[in-house]
Structures are given as structure tokens and as C-alpha cells.
Amino acid sequence: MNFRTTGHFPPLILDDVRGAQKMLSGVARMTAMEGSRHLTDLVGAPVHLKCENLQRTGSFKLRGAYVRIAGLSPVERAAGVVAASAGNHAQGVALASALLGVRSTVFMPVGAPLPKVAATRQYGAEVRLHGHVVDETLAAAQEYAQETGAVFIHPFDHPDIIAGQGTVGLEILEQCPEVRTIVVGIGGGGLAAGIAVAVKAVRPDVRIVGVQAAGAACYPPSLAAGHPVSIDSPTTMADGIKVGRPGDVPFELVRELVDEVRTVSEDELSSALLLCLERAKLVVEPAGASPVAALLSDPKSFRGPVVALLSGGNVDPLLMQRILTHGMVAAGRYLSLRLRLSDRPGALATLLGVLSVVDANVLDIGHVRTDPRLGLTEVEVELQLETKGPEHCAEVSAALRDAGYLVMD
């Protein structure tokens, strides 16, 4: 099968992806495919997790970067390569360059997580911190390429990159030949486009669903317009798919071959990350958890067997802590409430006794005595509780009210 693309690049076909797979032999791992009983129960059909979070460098990005750099001429290799990235693409380019003996320079935002900066340097790249948003970093990298002659390695808008990412699709067909739906996160579109080229050429019946964060969803308006359009100030915790405009090359392939693009909320992303950690024992970054978020948001709309692609696992520990807290709140695992009680000895102990009976774990307590709305003998107590879910939250609130407390949510 042959699929058209725009621009000066030749059409991307299945043989390109197969060639990339041969090139990546011994470089990229065939990552594991793990079943998920919890998601299977929700969907009502088998659900498998394709664990690219366990790939070398912690994401699928090594695949495309290696294929792109390996395809350079000797003259281009001698000039070195340059890239711009907040994390995953940076590490993929750094390792691919080191394996191929090519000098690499990677521009990263000033606020990039320190573990990602350190990893990129350890893989052998020269890291330059520039700009506070990716667009500024990208401009600096392109300017460097013009000044030095280094080859700019785009994170998604090149056929070689797309062919490399498409090898994930070939592995999915090999590991789960009965697959009927593949769910994949979309940023610029290189991964989804590559998978679509590989899978649709062999199994046109397989449904491919792309997932974007609602705050950074550039594909829905672009697909509606029929061409790539930019969105202003994309905002999401999922930095791996935080892209303001689709790539020209992947857009055409996504438009032609991807069956549907959905969006997920920040609450759904954090809940999905928490589920991956608790149920699958897998560390996944928010972008990598986006397919799971889509499954959680509307599980009965997917035809199984389903493969959800966990595209990366590079998450800053401090961000992970905040996301897990956010995920537990979204899942009803934390309960914050205020209530009033008499300011007398033993009143707090009585309150804690009620919470003990309903098995609510107290994380924090605050007292307010200076609010003018309080009576002379009243105190307001702010409680942070760990609970077991939405039903338990309702049980705790009901028990407090039954005990005579005025609960102010």
C-alpha cells in the first residue's frame, strides 16, 4: 500500500517501516506486552499494555531518532546533529548519536527537569539550556543548525522519524495478532502516523484511536480545517504530547489512516497514571498514560482486543508526587472538609473517634479560631483525610453529620 504525504518528501510505505525495523535490530528493544485485568474488566474485552516506557532512554523516541541519524550521509554526520526537546526526544537523539558516533547538541528549556537534563548529558550530548518554552528552544536549535551546518533532527516531522516510530506497530501485530483496536497518544503525530502506516497496510480492519490532552489538542481543529492549524498556549501536565501544531508530514497520514482522535482531561490523565502505578506496577509519564485515560473515560466504546501504548516513563520525581496526589483526589482517595465544633477539651478527640469508626485516615488537621463568623465557643477544623474512594467519602461525611457536626464542604 502507498500513502500520500504533502511537501517534498516521498510517500511513506510499509517497506520503509520494515526497513527501519531491520536498522533498529540490536538497538531498540522489543518491549513487553502486558495484560491488564482491571482494564479488561472495564472494557469487557482483553486489554494489553505495550510498554515503551521500558524502552532504552525510557520512551519510543530512540526508534525514530536512530533511523533518522543513521540515514545521514557521511558529510552530514561529520557536521553533527542538533535537536530541541524538553526530555524524551533529547535522550533519544543523544543515545542514537552516541551509538552512531555522531556529535550531538541538544537545546532544552531552562526549566527542564534536572533528571532529564542529566540523562541527556550522560548519553553523550552537549546540552544547552535556552528559553522558557519549547518554541523558544526550538528556534535556538534551528538557528544553531543554520550557523554551524549541523543537521536539525525534528522530533516528529520527517519520514525517517515516522518510519522508526512505526516499528512499534509491527511489534504490536507480532505480539498481539488478534488486536482490533490500538490506542496511542498524539502530540505532533509522528508515533500515531508511523503506527498507522504499518498497521493499516497489514490489517486495515484494526481501528486506530489517537488521544490528546484537552488543553493541548491541536489535531481536532486541524482535522476539521483539513490542514495543520496552531493553537495558542497549549497547557497540560503531559509534556510529551504538549504540541501546539501538528507536523505537516504526520498530519496527512493521521488524517488518512487514524480512525478517531479523542481528548482526555487532566483529571483523567492523573487517574490513569495512578492506575498504571498501582495496578500494573509501571512508572508511566502523563503522555504515556493518555491511552489508559481514554479507556477509563469511556471503556465500553472500544472494540477488543485493545492495545494501549504506554509511550514513555520519563517523569520527574517531584512532578510524579504532585500528579499522584492529583490522581488520588480525582479518584476520590482524598477528602478535604471543614466543620465546626465546641472549643473545649476533648472535642477533637471525640471527632477523631468518629473518623476512626469509619476507618478514615487523618493526614492533616488545621484549626481556625479568628474567623468573625465563629461563635465565642466555636472553632473551625480543617481536615485532610485519606479515603478508599467516592463511596467511602460519602460514608465519612454522612457519619460526621449523623454525629451532629456541621460539615462545610
Side-chain angles (χ1 to χ4, degrees):
M1 294 181 69
N2 201 338
F3 306 112
R4 61 183 174 83
T5 61
T6 59
H8 61 280
F9 295 115
L12 193 68
I13 60 175
L14 176 62
D15 284 347
D16 296 319
V17 183
R18 286 177 170 159
Q21 187 176 47
K22 292 180 181 178
M23 190 178 295
L24 288 168
S25 177
V27 176
R29 302 180 180 126
M30 177 182 280
T31 50
M33 183 89 76
E34 299 287 344
S36 172
R37 185 167 57 185
H38 180 73
L39 291 173
T40 293
D41 290 342
L42 288 177
V43 173
V47 175
H48 307 279
L49 305 175
K50 174 63 170 168
C51 301
E52 279 295 288
N53 59 310
L54 303 180
Q55 183 57 262
R56 296 178 71 179
T57 75
S59 88
F60 70 96
K61 288 288 190 177
L62 171 65
R63 297 172 183 264
Y66 188 90
V67 173
R68 173 77 173 98
I69 297 170
L72 297 178
S73 68
V75 173
E76 289 173 321
R77 290 196 190 194
V81 299
V82 61
S85 168
N88 289 346
H89 181 58
Q91 293 174 69
V93 168
L95 178 57
S97 299
L99 293 173
L100 292 164
V102 176
R103 184 178 70 259
S104 63
T105 303
V106 176
F107 285 76
M108 303 182 76
V110 172
L114 293 179
K116 293 185 178 182
V117 174
T120 303
R121 284 181 171 139
Q122 288 170 0
Y123 286 128
E126 177 189 347
V127 175
R128 299 192 180 191
L129 301 178
H130 184 93
H132 295 277
V133 296
V134 174
D135 287 344
E136 295 174 353
T137 308
L138 182 63
Q142 291 172 326
E143 182 179 352
Y144 177 88
Q146 293 174 354
E147 292 175 351
T148 65
V151 179
F152 178 68
I153 307 299
H154 199 284
F156 49 81
D157 204 11
H158 192 281
D160 289 347
I161 295 285
I162 296 171
Q165 322 303 29
T167 60
V168 178
L170 296 180
E171 290 182 13
I172 290 173
L173 293 179
E174 180 179 345
Q175 293 171 299
C176 185
E178 68 279 12
V179 63
R180 299 180 73 185
T181 304
I182 297 173
V183 191
V184 55
I186 295 184
L191 177 62
I195 289 175
V197 168
V199 172
K200 289 290 188 177
V202 180
R203 289 278 309 281
D205 60 301
V206 173
R207 185 172 179 80
I208 298 178
V209 178
V211 184
Q212 291 208 289
C218 59
Y219 263 90
S222 297
L223 292 171
H227 58 83
V229 298
S230 298
I231 59 172
D232 295 329
S233 304
T235 304
T236 177
M237 70 174 76
D239 58 347
I241 53 175
K242 185 180 176 181
V243 176
R245 183 186 184 278
D248 292 329
V249 179
F251 173 78
E252 289 296 326
L253 296 167
V254 169
R255 181 173 67 166
E256 189 165 353
L257 300 172
V258 172
D259 297 282
E260 180 185 0
V261 176
R262 301 188 180 192
T263 62
V264 292
S265 69
E266 298 297 285
D267 282 351
E268 288 164 342
L269 284 168
S270 55
S271 294
L273 188 148
L274 182 61
L275 183 143
C276 289
L277 187 63
E278 284 193 324
R279 297 298 183 98
K281 315 305 178 190
L282 291 168
V283 175
V284 182
E285 63 188 271
S290 59
V292 175
L295 292 175
L296 292 176
S297 67
D298 191 7
K300 298 303 181 183
S301 66
F302 292 90
R303 183 182 62 177
V306 177
V307 173
L309 177 58
L310 308 181
S311 57
N314 293 318
V315 56
D316 180 60
L318 295 177
L319 176 61
M320 171 70 87
Q321 184 178 12
R322 295 197 298 270
I323 292 172
L324 289 178
T325 299
H326 189 270
M328 292 185 75
V329 171
R333 300 277 293 279
Y334 286 146
L335 176 62
S336 299
L337 47 81
R338 295 176 296 119
L339 49 84
R340 292 180 183 178
L341 53 111
S342 298
D343 191 8
R344 59 176 175 78
L348 182 58
T350 302
L351 170 62
L352 296 178
V354 175
L355 295 174
S356 177
V357 170
V358 291
D359 200 24
N361 185 36
V362 179
L363 299 176
D364 193 20
I365 298 178
H367 292 79
V368 177
R369 287 187 170 86
T370 57
D371 192 320
R373 294 170 297 181
L374 292 172
L376 185 62
T377 61
E378 286 184 319
V379 61
E380 186 173 285
V381 175
E382 298 177 346
L383 293 169
Q384 301 290 328
L385 306 175
E386 182 181 6
T387 58
K388 301 173 184 177
E391 293 181 359
H392 191 211
C393 288
E395 180 186 349
V396 171
S397 296
L400 291 169
R401 291 189 175 96
D402 290 345
Y405 293 101
L406 175 61
V407 178
M408 299 169 289
D409 297 326

